Amino acid sequence: MKGRAAHWLDALQTRLWPLPALAVALAVVLGVALTALDSAVDGKLPGSVSVFLFSGGPEAARSVLQAISGSLITVTSLTFSLTVVTLQLASSQFSPRLLRTFTSDRFVHGTLALFLASFAFALTVLRSVRDASNGNTAFVPELSVTLAFALAIASVVALVLFLAHLTREIRVETMMRNVNAETLETIDRVFPKDRPTPGPGPVPGSGAFLIESRSSGFLTSLDQCALLKAAEDSGAMVRIDRQPGSSLVEGVPFATAWPAEPGAIFGTETRGKLAKAVNAAVATGYERTNVQDVGYGFRQLVDVATRALSPGINDPTTAVHVIGHLSALLCRLVGRNPGPEHLTDEDGRIRVVLSLPGLNDLLDMAMNQPRQYGAADAAVAGRLLGLLHELAWCDRKGQYRTEIQDHLGRMRNAIGAADHSDPERKNLLDTADSIETRQR
């Protein structure tokens, strides 16, 4: 259940509520338990300990706890409002697909958890403070009030740190760095080091049939173990025809299956069971994720670049920086042999073929839109040529020479059609010539 577990873990990490909700529950439990301990040790603590504890009466304790709970819920509202404003800024100015980067920020999760936990703890302790009236004995939970005071101080410090963190996170350089880091982790997970070059997969034989999707949404992850087991149990070979990040539509085929033994034919029942098992091994969602989708990080970065090149924003410098990150990711992929994944049984026979992006797919994504919208800017065009130069340098075995040459030709056409000055055009074309010379 590796793929399924990763899918649910990613879903939890990109939600704002799980950690704060858990912190509130623990704070309530701690408030009840600590006030019980206070009641048990009331008046029995040595002076060396009591000197550090809250020493006021019931009214003072109530005032402190009310001040803490009231101020913290206000600060929490402010923090949440600032977070929402940041999300709106990222969505409108950079890309809506960057919202996952903010909602998965653990510092934001931790800050909200601390504020809400402190509020819940102070409120829980407040209910145990008693006056000496109606025959009751006055009771002030000294340990609990002291801890509430400490949590309030910690919350003030956390608020300052949160504001500093937020001002850093809304910078485009920080967002690009975060997307780059997440994508590198996905590359290392999907295309590990020393991955063999994917060979030609098996071709569907007689008796092949299409497997239709039973849900709509983005293909977020595939459970490889479950797919392999389904193929072995049915005596079949399965090919997933859609890459992670692709859009699936209910009732539309996304996979192909056929008998592993030549000449065999699957009955209706076997086909139904296999289709059900394959669909169960596929996780879909309403948005793309970084679990197994290598192209998602490229999509986010390209979105930032194209938004920066739009007439309304006109920020080619940001586009140049984004292309630098795209180049770093592509160069990481050169030595990883990206492409389809073959899952084999114990006898080494291919049973499942997973469709994964090759370098040509990701290079197209990284180049096409920035070239279309930015070729008229000499700095952007020069950086795109720099990407191809860096990729050619890292491709020491010449595996992707054809793809690089193809994009060099497209760049020449775009530079020729753009309104550059003669010196700019000559400089750009000379750069393209030098890259082609190195490739020979």
Side-chain angles (χ1 to χ4, degrees):
M1 297 298 289
K2 182 178 178 181
R4 187 73 65 178
H7 170 74
W8 287 112
L9 180 61
D10 178 78
L12 284 175
Q13 290 176 340
T14 54
R15 302 290 189 276
L16 285 174
W17 63 267
L19 184 59
L22 177 62
V24 168
L26 293 177
V28 172
V29 173
L30 179 62
V32 173
L34 197 57
T35 52
L37 177 62
D38 266 306
S39 180
V41 301
D42 188 24
K44 300 177 183 178
L45 293 174
S48 58
V49 175
S50 299
V51 70
F52 296 104
L53 302 179
F54 180 80
S55 58
E59 286 301 322
R62 282 199 182 94
S63 298
V64 170
L65 293 172
Q66 288 171 352
I68 291 173
S69 57
S71 60
L72 281 175
I73 199 63
T74 302
V75 169
T76 302
S77 301
L78 171 64
T79 304
F80 185 76
S81 299
L82 290 173
T83 303
V84 170
V85 170
T86 303
L87 295 177
Q88 291 176 336
L89 175 65
S91 176
S92 61
Q93 187 169 354
F94 303 116
S95 169
R97 275 153 289 281
L98 287 175
L99 297 186
R100 286 180 58 86
T101 303
F102 285 99
T103 56
S104 61
D105 191 333
R106 295 180 181 178
F107 194 94
V108 175
H109 295 180
T111 302
L112 290 174
L114 176 60
F115 291 167
L116 290 174
S118 301
F119 166 76
F121 180 80
L123 211 59
T124 304
V125 174
L126 181 61
R127 59 189 284 275
S128 65
V129 179
R130 296 193 305 269
D131 288 321
S133 60
N134 299 326
N136 295 325
T137 303
F139 174 64
V140 176
E142 297 177 350
L143 292 171
S144 301
V145 176
T146 303
L147 179 57
F149 175 79
L151 288 173
I153 297 299
S155 298
V156 172
V157 175
L159 176 61
V160 176
L161 296 177
F162 174 79
L163 295 175
H165 176 78
L166 199 62
T167 55
R168 183 173 65 251
E169 289 298 306
I170 61 176
R171 295 169 55 193
V172 66
E173 290 83 2
T174 304
M175 288 185 283
M176 290 190 294
R177 181 202 65 193
N178 293 340
V179 174
N180 183 288
E182 290 177 354
T183 308
L184 287 176
E185 290 178 1
T186 306
I187 290 174
D188 292 340
R189 184 165 53 247
V190 177
F191 301 126
K193 291 182 179 179
D194 302 322
R195 183 177 189 260
T197 303
V203 179
S206 60
F209 65 97
L210 299 176
I211 298 177
E212 298 177 356
S213 175
R214 299 190 177 183
S215 61
S216 297
F218 291 104
L219 197 166
T220 55
S221 64
L222 296 162
D223 191 330
Q224 297 185 7
C225 295
L227 284 171
L228 184 58
K229 185 177 186 304
E232 291 178 337
D233 291 346
S234 301
M237 291 186 177
V238 177
R239 186 184 68 195
I240 305 298
D241 298 321
R242 300 293 185 88
Q243 298 178 4
S246 300
S247 178
L248 302 185
V249 177
E250 184 178 357
V252 176
F254 74 100
T256 306
W258 63 96
E261 299 300 329
I265 300 295
F266 286 152
T268 304
E269 183 179 355
T270 302
R271 291 188 179 195
K273 288 182 178 179
L274 180 58
K276 182 179 180 181
V278 170
N279 273 276
V282 174
T284 58
Y286 61 88
E287 62 180 341
R288 296 174 69 175
T289 72
N290 286 303
V291 177
Q292 296 177 0
D293 185 0
V294 175
Y296 184 50
F298 283 82
R299 181 73 273 158
Q300 289 174 297
L301 290 172
V302 170
D303 281 354
V304 174
T306 53
R307 187 69 65 92
L309 292 170
S310 65
I313 296 179
N314 194 25
D315 182 14
T317 301
T318 293
V320 168
H321 292 173
V322 169
I323 295 168
H325 285 281
L326 291 169
S327 178
L329 294 174
L330 288 168
C331 288
R332 169 71 70 92
L333 280 164
V334 165
R336 300 300 179 90
N337 297 316
E341 179 79 12
H342 297 162
L343 307 182
T344 59
D345 56 21
E346 294 180 353
D347 298 326
R349 185 178 185 181
I350 297 176
R351 286 287 190 173
V352 179
V353 178
L354 304 179
S355 179
L356 297 176
L359 188 85
N360 56 325
D361 301 317
L362 299 172
L363 180 59
D364 286 345
M365 188 185 302
M367 290 288 298
N368 288 346
Q369 288 185 335
R371 183 187 65 249
Q372 178 180 354
Y373 298 116
D377 188 284
V380 176
R383 189 63 189 92
L384 287 170
L385 290 172
L387 182 154
L388 295 175
H389 178 266
E390 291 153 0
L391 188 60
W393 178 269
C394 294
D395 183 25
R396 304 183 188 279
K397 297 180 181 180
Q399 292 177 275
Y400 306 106
R401 179 175 301 175
T402 302
E403 289 82 356
I404 295 173
Q405 291 291 336
D406 177 55
H407 279 283
L408 273 174
R410 299 184 198 181
M411 283 299 302
R412 283 195 178 94
N413 293 335
I415 292 168
D419 186 20
H420 293 296
S421 65
D422 290 339
E424 286 177 338
R425 182 177 289 105
K426 182 179 184 303
N427 184 49
L428 292 171
L429 293 177
D430 287 345
T431 302
D433 290 339
S434 67
I435 299 171
E436 188 172 10
T437 300
R438 173 175 175 75
Q439 286 247 287
R440 292 173 181 170

